[in-house]
Amino acid sequence: MHKLDRLKYLEISGEPVVEIDYGQIMPRLMYAHAGIKPEMDDLYAISGFAAFRPGVKKIMSSMLFVDKPITRFPKGTRNLFPKGVSVCDVTDAVSVSHPNIAQYFFTGIGHHCQFLESQIMVEVLRVLMGMKSMGIIALPIHDAVLVPASAEKVVKNVMLHTFLNKTGQSGVVDVLTKQQLEETDAIAA
């Protein structure tokens, strides 16, 4: 289902759902792997490319999953940057903005991070299932869960605690509601 459809039509126990998502999970896992606290709040806010965050996110992810430098824009990313910008311009800017993890780019370590991400999410679900008296139902979607709106605060705390416990570092979680997504879509239209 499209994200808006999930938030618009799904209910849990007759209640609207919210999506609670780990923010910037791949670069945050890289910083945890390096044992270094990130210096930036938004790890995709790259100098010179702040207006192209969705593209930076995709390029940065690609940089973690390949084992050699990227020489062409990955499929579907060229149109996320202005003409005249090369993929090397973007990868160089990412590396300069993240010198503490730059050594891990182009090593294929993304697969390791993806596995750790799955372990974190399994632990989140395990903890929530163990809270039987609260009766929280959570539907996992990659690095996010759909939960009843009334469970937002508890689930957010569980996710943050689990990330800290598994990585030794503070994580970030973002909450998305149907209203926020509709407002974002209305602005984009």
Side-chain angles (χ1 to χ4, degrees), residues 93-121:
V94 168
S95 294
V96 167
S97 294
H98 294 288
N100 294 323
I101 61 170
Q103 69 200 32
Y104 300 112
F105 295 136
F106 312 116
T107 65
I109 198 165
H111 299 287
H112 168 76
C113 292
Q114 203 170 39
F115 178 69
L116 180 55
E117 175 187 327
S118 71
Q119 289 180 312
I120 290 168
M121 289 307 297

Side-chain angles (χ1 to χ4, degrees), residues 12 35 43 107 121 140 147 156:
I12 296 176
L43 302 178
T107 65
M121 289 307 297
V147 298
K156 191 174 172 182

Side-chain angles (χ1 to χ4, degrees), residues 21-25 27-28 40-46 48-61 77 80-82 90 94 172 174:
D21 179 26
Y22 279 112
Q24 310 154 46
I25 193 163
R28 289 192 180 281
M40 305 163 60
D41 289 331
D42 183 352
L43 302 178
Y44 298 125
I46 303 302
F49 294 98
F52 309 101
R53 189 182 188 281
V56 168
K57 181 178 177 179
K58 289 183 179 190
I59 296 296
M60 197 168 176
S61 180
T77 61
L80 299 174
F81 296 94
V90 180
V94 168
V172 171
D174 302 312

Side-chain angles (χ1 to χ4, degrees), residues 27-45:
R28 289 192 180 281
L29 290 173
M30 288 308 315
Y31 274 97
H33 180 76
I36 299 168
K37 185 178 188 268
E39 296 174 8
M40 305 163 60
D41 289 331
D42 183 352
L43 302 178
Y44 298 125

Side-chain angles (χ1 to χ4, degrees), residues 24-183:
Q24 310 154 46
I25 193 163
M26 292 302 277
R28 289 192 180 281
L29 290 173
M30 288 308 315
Y31 274 97
H33 180 76
I36 299 168
K37 185 178 188 268
E39 296 174 8
M40 305 163 60
D41 289 331
D42 183 352
L43 302 178
Y44 298 125
I46 303 302
S47 180
F49 294 98
F52 309 101
R53 189 182 188 281
V56 168
K57 181 178 177 179
K58 289 183 179 190
I59 296 296
M60 197 168 176
S61 180
S62 295
M63 292 168 68
L64 294 172
F65 281 93
V66 297
D67 58 6
K68 60 184 177 180
I70 301 168
T71 57
R72 299 183 339 190
F73 278 101
K75 185 176 181 179
T77 61
R78 170 68 243 161
N79 64 335
L80 299 174
F81 296 94
K83 289 186 179 194
V85 171
S86 73
V87 73
C88 292
D89 295 334
V90 180
T91 59
D92 289 349
V94 168
S95 294
V96 167
S97 294
H98 294 288
N100 294 323
I101 61 170
Q103 69 200 32
Y104 300 112
F105 295 136
F106 312 116
T107 65
I109 198 165
H111 299 287
H112 168 76
C113 292
Q114 203 170 39
F115 178 69
L116 180 55
E117 175 187 327
S118 71
Q119 289 180 312
I120 290 168
M121 289 307 297
V122 166
E123 181 65 11
V124 166
L125 294 172
R126 191 192 67 70
V127 169
L128 292 173
M129 286 173 48
M131 302 170 86
K132 291 181 185 185
S133 64
M134 298 188 83
I136 297 173
I137 296 170
L139 305 174
I141 304 169
H142 304 292
D143 63 347
V145 288
L146 293 177
V147 298
S150 63
E152 174 185 327
K153 186 175 182 179
V154 170
V155 174
K156 191 174 172 182
N157 286 335
V158 167
M159 290 176 71
L160 289 170
H161 177 75
T162 302
F163 193 90
L164 179 62
N165 188 40
K166 289 283 191 182
T167 67
Q169 296 217 8
S170 297
V172 171
V173 293
D174 302 312
V175 178
L176 185 61
T177 66
K178 177 178 102 172
Q179 292 79 15
Q180 290 169 323
L181 197 54
E182 287 173 341
E183 290 168 8

